[in-house]
Structures are given as C-alpha cells and as structure tokens.
Amino acid sequence: MTGILSLRDVTFHANPLADRAIKLALPFGLGALLLLVLYLTRSYQEFLTLAGLLFVYLVPPAGKETVIPVGIGLGEPWWLIAACTVTVDLCCSLFVALNLDLTLKIPVLGPFLGKFMAGGRAFLDARPWLERLSTAGLVVFVIVPFQGSGGMNATILGRIMGFTAQRAVGCVLIGSFVSSYAIALGADAVIGLFREDPTLGLGALGLIALLIVGLWFLWKRYASSLDCEG
C-alpha cells in the first residue's frame, strides 16, 4: 500500500505546501473551468440542467449510461454531454492520482476507496488478464461497465498495477472518451428515431439491447477463458 501512496512520480514544486496546492488546483480548476465555459456558452436554464446532471453523475450509482441519455433527451447536444462526462472523469482521476492520501481522509468517500484498495489485489488476482494486458487492460476496465469501474477506482487500480499517476490518468481519459462518445452517439440516434417514429425507436432500442446482451455474454466467456489461462 505504501507504493500506491507514494506520489513522488509527480512533483510540481520543491515546497511541499506549494506542491500540494498545485495538485489540488489542477482537478478543481479544471472542474471550475468546465462550469465557467458552460455558464458563458449556454442559456442559464441549460447551465442549471447540465450542472445538475454532472452532480448526479458524481453520485453513485448513476453512470454514463444514465446521465448521457437523460441529457440528450432533455435537448442537450450529444457531443456536449459526452465532453462533460469525460471532463468530470478526468477531474476525478486527477484528484485521486495526485491527492490519494487526502482522498482517503474524506468522510464516506475515503472508507469506500480504502475498501476498494484493500480488495484491489484480490480483484486483479481474479482477473489476471487485466494485469497482463497492462495499459489496454485498464482502458478496457474503464470502458466496460464493471462494478466500480469509474475514474476514481480505475485510477487506484492503475496505481496498484504499478502505473505512474500520469499513465493511470491517461488510461482513464482514453477509456472515458471511448465510452462517453459511444453512448452519446447511440443514445442520440435512438432518441432521434423515437421522435420520428416511436415504433422505429423501440425497434432500435430492442436491437441495441440484444446486441449488448450478446456482447456481454461473449465478453464474459472471453474473460473467463483468459482467467482460466491465467
């Protein structure tokens, strides 16, 4: 656990207080910048809607598969709501990667992440293919909806796998980008069909559901075979 808590691979300033200030300013500053951009470029009502959706996204069990379709259904552009979720994932990943020691002291969140860290090694031992795939494995972990596969837990998992903070954050960013925009494009297409013809929308939704179930079973079989090989 000591190796995970060591943040010497990311040092911005020789002074510990200044270094900590920078590490805290990066994720919070990026989040504040996102809100400022939304406030300046969207109507006030849209800003409130997007801010509310992003707040919900931060609170489990809501995820991309919920927040993104709801946002699009409320009239937000698919690319915008996807960009927002990617930015939130990046903020969370940066916060944990740079401030893990402080994160563990946060009420409710700290104990939750502590339990994940305690079980992290067991999680990897049960899925040896994740560690064998290295960077690609962590990206897949972010894309595929495992329980607890959000930006925070994925960053910690990357640290347990021996990744530097930069590498773990990079994996989260790539995985979040792929999953967010895939969900947004699919949701936008289905909602568009619903508005044109509810029957077409239902048919498309059914096909997507069957496709997801089929892919999920194929993935489970593939992952199980990799686990057995491990």
Side-chain angles (χ1 to χ4, degrees), residues 133-198:
L133 290 176
S134 188
T135 299
L138 189 58
V139 171
V140 169
F141 176 78
V142 178
I143 295 174
V144 178
F146 292 112
Q147 184 178 10
S149 63
M152 287 188 174
N153 287 341
T155 303
I156 292 175
L157 191 64
R159 300 290 277 173
I160 294 174
M161 293 167 69
F163 290 7
T164 62
Q166 299 96 317
R167 187 177 174 188
V169 171
C171 290
V172 170
L173 181 60
I174 294 171
S176 177
F177 184 90
V178 172
S179 59
S180 292
Y181 278 89
I183 292 172
L185 282 168
D188 185 62
V190 171
I191 291 173
L193 285 174
F194 261 111
R195 288 170 177 164
E196 181 180 334
D197 185 340

Side-chain angles (χ1 to χ4, degrees), residues 9 11 22-24 27 32 56 61 86 98 105 124 143 180 185 228:
D9 55 337
T11 302
I22 295 171
K23 289 176 177 177
L24 287 171
V56 170
V86 171
L98 301 178
K105 298 176 182 178
L124 288 174
I143 295 174
S180 292
L185 282 168
C228 291

Side-chain angles (χ1 to χ4, degrees), residues 111-135:
F112 173 78
L113 293 180
K115 289 180 181 178
F116 184 84
M117 290 175 64
R121 188 68 257 170
F123 182 92
L124 288 174
D125 289 342
R127 299 164 178 82
W129 55 270
L130 265 178
E131 207 157 13
R132 286 203 305 271
L133 290 176
S134 188
T135 299

